[in-house]
Amino acid sequence: MTFADIIRIVVRRWPIVLAMTVAGAILGGGIAARANTDYSATASLIINPSASAARSDLSATSTYIQTRMETFRSLATTAKVLTPVRDRLNVGSDERLDSKITVDVPTNSAIISITAQDPDRDRAVTIADSVISSLTTAIREVSPAPQGRGSIVDVAVIQGAGDGVSHGQASPVIAALIGAVIGLALSVTAVRVSELARPRRRSSSRT
Protein backbone atom coordinates (compact mmCIF):
# COMPACT_ATOMS: atom_id res chain seq x y z
CA MET A 1 0.00 0.00 0.00
CA THR A 2 1.46 3.34 -1.10
CA PHE A 3 1.34 6.63 0.75
CA ALA A 4 -1.25 7.89 -1.76
CA ASP A 5 -3.43 4.87 -0.94
CA ILE A 6 -3.20 5.71 2.78
CA ILE A 7 -4.23 9.31 2.08
CA ARG A 8 -7.25 8.14 0.10
CA ILE A 9 -8.26 5.82 2.93
CA VAL A 10 -7.91 8.61 5.50
CA VAL A 11 -10.01 10.97 3.37
CA ARG A 12 -12.68 8.31 2.89
CA ARG A 13 -12.73 7.45 6.62
CA TRP A 14 -12.22 11.02 7.89
CA PRO A 15 -15.01 10.87 10.51
CA ILE A 16 -13.20 8.02 12.31
CA VAL A 17 -9.83 9.75 12.00
CA LEU A 18 -11.22 13.04 13.26
CA ALA A 19 -13.04 11.42 16.16
CA MET A 20 -9.97 9.53 17.39
CA THR A 21 -7.74 12.59 16.99
CA VAL A 22 -10.11 14.77 19.02
CA ALA A 23 -10.52 12.04 21.63
CA GLY A 24 -6.75 11.81 22.00
CA ALA A 25 -6.45 15.57 22.43
CA ILE A 26 -9.20 15.66 25.07
CA LEU A 27 -7.74 12.71 26.96
CA GLY A 28 -4.19 14.11 26.95
CA GLY A 29 -5.27 17.59 28.01
CA GLY A 30 -7.56 16.23 30.71
CA ILE A 31 -4.86 14.05 32.24
CA ALA A 32 -2.41 16.96 32.31
CA ALA A 33 -4.95 19.30 33.86
CA ARG A 34 -5.71 16.87 36.68
CA ALA A 35 -2.13 15.76 37.29
CA ASN A 36 -0.89 16.52 40.81
CA THR A 37 2.76 17.55 40.56
CA ASP A 38 5.02 18.10 43.54
CA TYR A 39 6.23 21.39 44.92
CA SER A 40 10.01 21.83 45.01
CA ALA A 41 11.56 23.91 47.81
CA THR A 42 15.29 24.68 47.84
CA ALA A 43 17.39 25.86 50.77
CA SER A 44 21.13 26.54 50.54
CA LEU A 45 24.09 26.97 52.85
CA ILE A 46 27.69 28.09 52.37
CA ILE A 47 30.77 26.82 54.18
CA ASN A 48 33.61 29.22 54.96
CA PRO A 49 36.65 29.11 57.25
CA SER A 50 35.71 30.14 60.77
CA ALA A 51 37.21 33.26 62.32
CA SER A 52 39.59 31.26 64.50
CA ALA A 53 40.65 29.06 61.57
CA ALA A 54 41.21 32.07 59.34
CA ARG A 55 43.66 33.52 61.83
CA SER A 56 45.69 30.31 61.95
CA ASP A 57 45.84 28.95 58.40
CA LEU A 58 43.28 30.23 55.91
CA SER A 59 44.77 28.33 52.94
CA ALA A 60 44.72 24.95 54.69
CA THR A 61 41.17 25.46 55.89
CA SER A 62 39.96 26.44 52.40
CA THR A 63 41.60 23.33 50.99
CA TYR A 64 39.97 21.23 53.70
CA ILE A 65 36.53 22.60 52.78
CA GLN A 66 36.95 21.94 49.04
CA THR A 67 38.16 18.38 49.57
CA ARG A 68 35.28 17.62 51.94
CA MET A 69 32.37 18.95 49.85
CA GLU A 70 31.42 15.51 48.52
CA THR A 71 31.59 14.14 52.05
CA PHE A 72 29.27 16.90 53.25
CA ARG A 73 26.94 16.10 50.35
CA SER A 74 26.73 12.46 51.45
CA LEU A 75 26.28 13.53 55.06
CA ALA A 76 22.98 15.20 54.14
CA THR A 77 21.23 11.85 53.61
CA THR A 78 22.63 10.02 56.64
CA ALA A 79 20.80 9.22 59.86
CA LYS A 80 22.89 11.85 61.67
CA VAL A 81 21.10 14.54 59.66
CA LEU A 82 17.73 12.96 58.90
CA THR A 83 16.90 11.53 62.34
CA PRO A 84 16.52 15.01 63.92
CA VAL A 85 14.41 16.00 60.90
CA ARG A 86 12.14 12.98 61.43
CA ASP A 87 11.73 13.89 65.08
CA ARG A 88 10.86 17.49 64.22
CA LEU A 89 8.32 16.53 61.54
CA ASN A 90 7.01 13.53 63.48
CA VAL A 91 7.63 11.32 60.45
CA GLY A 92 7.31 7.56 60.78
CA SER A 93 10.21 5.26 60.02
CA ASP A 94 8.31 3.81 57.04
CA GLU A 95 8.53 7.12 55.14
CA ARG A 96 11.85 7.60 53.33
CA LEU A 97 12.89 11.22 53.67
CA ASP A 98 15.99 10.65 51.56
CA SER A 99 13.75 9.92 48.55
CA LYS A 100 12.17 13.36 48.95
CA ILE A 101 15.38 15.38 48.91
CA THR A 102 18.06 16.14 46.34
CA VAL A 103 21.50 17.39 47.36
CA ASP A 104 23.40 19.60 44.94
CA VAL A 105 26.96 20.91 45.18
CA PRO A 106 27.96 23.25 42.32
CA THR A 107 31.41 22.53 40.92
CA ASN A 108 34.27 24.34 42.67
CA SER A 109 31.97 25.97 45.19
CA ALA A 110 31.43 25.77 48.92
CA ILE A 111 27.63 25.84 48.55
CA ILE A 112 25.26 22.98 49.29
CA SER A 113 21.63 23.14 48.16
CA ILE A 114 18.87 20.91 49.49
CA THR A 115 15.74 20.55 47.37
CA ALA A 116 12.72 18.85 48.92
CA GLN A 117 9.72 17.66 46.93
CA ASP A 118 6.25 17.09 48.31
CA PRO A 119 2.64 17.49 47.10
CA ASP A 120 2.12 19.94 49.97
CA ARG A 121 3.92 23.28 49.56
CA ASP A 122 4.39 24.03 53.25
CA ARG A 123 5.67 20.53 53.95
CA ALA A 124 8.22 20.78 51.13
CA VAL A 125 9.48 24.06 52.64
CA THR A 126 9.62 22.57 56.14
CA ILE A 127 11.54 19.48 54.99
CA ALA A 128 14.15 21.52 53.10
CA ASP A 129 14.64 24.01 55.95
CA SER A 130 14.84 21.22 58.52
CA VAL A 131 17.43 19.26 56.53
CA ILE A 132 19.57 22.35 55.91
CA SER A 133 19.43 23.22 59.61
CA SER A 134 20.36 19.69 60.71
CA LEU A 135 23.12 19.52 58.08
CA THR A 136 24.56 22.81 59.34
CA THR A 137 24.90 21.36 62.82
CA ALA A 138 26.34 18.08 61.54
CA ILE A 139 29.01 19.79 59.40
CA ARG A 140 30.20 21.79 62.38
CA GLU A 141 30.32 18.68 64.53
CA VAL A 142 32.33 16.55 62.12
CA SER A 143 34.83 19.29 61.23
CA PRO A 144 38.01 19.53 63.33
CA ALA A 145 38.22 22.19 66.02
CA PRO A 146 41.16 24.61 66.00
CA GLN A 147 42.98 24.41 69.34
CA GLY A 148 40.16 22.26 70.70
CA ARG A 149 37.54 25.01 70.49
CA GLY A 150 34.65 25.65 68.14
CA SER A 151 34.94 24.42 64.57
CA ILE A 152 37.35 24.99 61.74
CA VAL A 153 34.43 25.97 59.50
CA ASP A 154 31.62 28.47 59.66
CA VAL A 155 28.32 27.36 58.09
CA ALA A 156 25.68 29.91 57.14
CA VAL A 157 22.27 29.55 55.49
CA ILE A 158 22.15 31.77 52.40
CA GLN A 159 18.65 30.88 51.21
CA GLY A 160 15.64 29.64 53.09
CA ALA A 161 13.35 27.15 51.38
CA GLY A 162 10.48 29.64 51.40
CA ASP A 163 12.42 31.80 48.95
CA GLY A 164 13.01 28.95 46.52
CA VAL A 165 9.67 27.27 45.85
CA SER A 166 8.52 26.12 42.44
CA HIS A 167 5.60 24.04 41.25
CA GLY A 168 6.17 21.89 38.18
CA GLN A 169 2.99 21.37 36.20
CA ALA A 170 2.50 19.64 32.88
CA SER A 171 1.15 21.93 30.16
CA PRO A 172 -2.41 20.89 29.17
CA VAL A 173 -1.87 22.39 25.70
CA ILE A 174 1.27 20.36 25.01
CA ALA A 175 -0.35 17.24 26.45
CA ALA A 176 -3.41 17.80 24.23
CA LEU A 177 -1.20 18.11 21.14
CA ILE A 178 0.64 14.92 22.04
CA GLY A 179 -2.68 13.17 22.62
CA ALA A 180 -3.97 14.40 19.24
CA VAL A 181 -0.89 13.07 17.44
CA ILE A 182 -1.24 9.70 19.16
CA GLY A 183 -4.96 9.60 18.34
CA LEU A 184 -4.23 10.46 14.71
CA ALA A 185 -1.59 7.76 14.43
CA LEU A 186 -3.87 5.15 15.97
CA SER A 187 -6.79 6.12 13.73
CA VAL A 188 -4.69 5.93 10.56
CA THR A 189 -3.42 2.52 11.62
CA ALA A 190 -6.95 1.35 12.41
CA VAL A 191 -8.48 2.42 9.08
CA ARG A 192 -5.50 1.03 7.18
CA VAL A 193 -5.85 -2.38 8.86
CA SER A 194 -9.57 -2.27 8.21
CA GLU A 195 -9.04 -1.62 4.50
CA LEU A 196 -6.46 -4.34 4.18
CA ALA A 197 -8.87 -6.80 5.76
CA ARG A 198 -11.75 -6.03 3.39
CA PRO A 199 -10.49 -8.00 0.35
CA ARG A 200 -9.96 -11.03 2.53
CA ARG A 201 -13.57 -10.87 3.66
CA ARG A 202 -14.78 -10.68 0.05
CA SER A 203 -12.57 -13.60 -0.96
CA SER A 204 -13.73 -15.71 1.93
CA SER A 205 -17.39 -14.92 1.15
CA ARG A 206 -16.96 -16.09 -2.47
CA THR A 207 -15.57 -19.40 -1.32
Side-chain angles (χ1 to χ4, degrees):
M1 181 176 288
T2 65
F3 181 74
D5 292 333
I6 296 175
I7 295 297
R8 283 194 292 270
I9 294 173
V10 170
V11 171
R12 188 164 60 247
R13 299 289 191 91
W14 69 265
I16 297 175
V17 174
L18 178 61
M20 293 185 68
T21 302
V22 172
I26 294 174
L27 182 61
I31 292 175
R34 295 182 179 182
N36 293 322
T37 53
D38 288 346
Y39 286 92
S40 295
T42 301
S44 302
L45 59 77
I46 188 169
I47 307 171
N48 290 312
S50 65
S52 55
R55 285 195 298 268
S56 58
D57 194 340
L58 178 60
S59 177
T61 305
S62 297
T63 300
Y64 166 82
I65 292 172
Q66 285 300 319
T67 57
R68 294 297 189 279
M69 291 305 295
E70 285 302 316
T71 299
F72 296 151
R73 179 211 290 265
S74 300
L75 183 63
T77 54
T78 62
K80 182 176 182 63
V81 171
L82 295 184
T83 297
V85 176
R86 287 183 179 279
D87 294 340
R88 177 179 176 181
L89 300 179
N90 195 23
V91 175
S93 58
D94 57 332
E95 183 174 354
R96 291 190 56 187
L97 280 180
D98 58 338
S99 65
K100 289 180 172 290
I101 64 173
T102 302
V103 188
D104 182 51
V105 178
T107 304
N108 297 325
S109 79
I111 296 175
I112 299 178
S113 295
I114 302 292
T115 299
Q117 292 184 316
D118 195 86
D120 183 86
R121 181 188 186 280
D122 292 339
R123 194 164 188 267
V125 170
T126 301
I127 291 173
D129 280 338
S130 298
V131 173
I132 212 77
S133 176
S134 183
L135 179 60
T136 296
T137 301
I139 290 174
R140 289 172 178 158
E141 290 178 352
V142 300
S143 298
Q147 299 177 353
R149 293 180 298 175
S151 173
I152 197 173
V153 300
D154 177 60
V155 187
V157 176
I158 57 176
Q159 175 179 286
D163 298 323
V165 181
S166 61
H167 186 207
Q169 186 171 0
S171 171
V173 175
I174 295 177
L177 290 175
I178 295 174
V181 171
I182 295 174
L184 176 61
L186 290 175
S187 65
V188 171
T189 301
V191 297
R192 183 184 176 189
V193 170
S194 176
E195 286 293 321
L196 290 174
R198 293 182 69 182
R200 297 176 184 175
R201 294 171 186 167
R202 291 173 182 170
S203 300
S204 60
S205 62
R206 291 175 183 174
T207 58

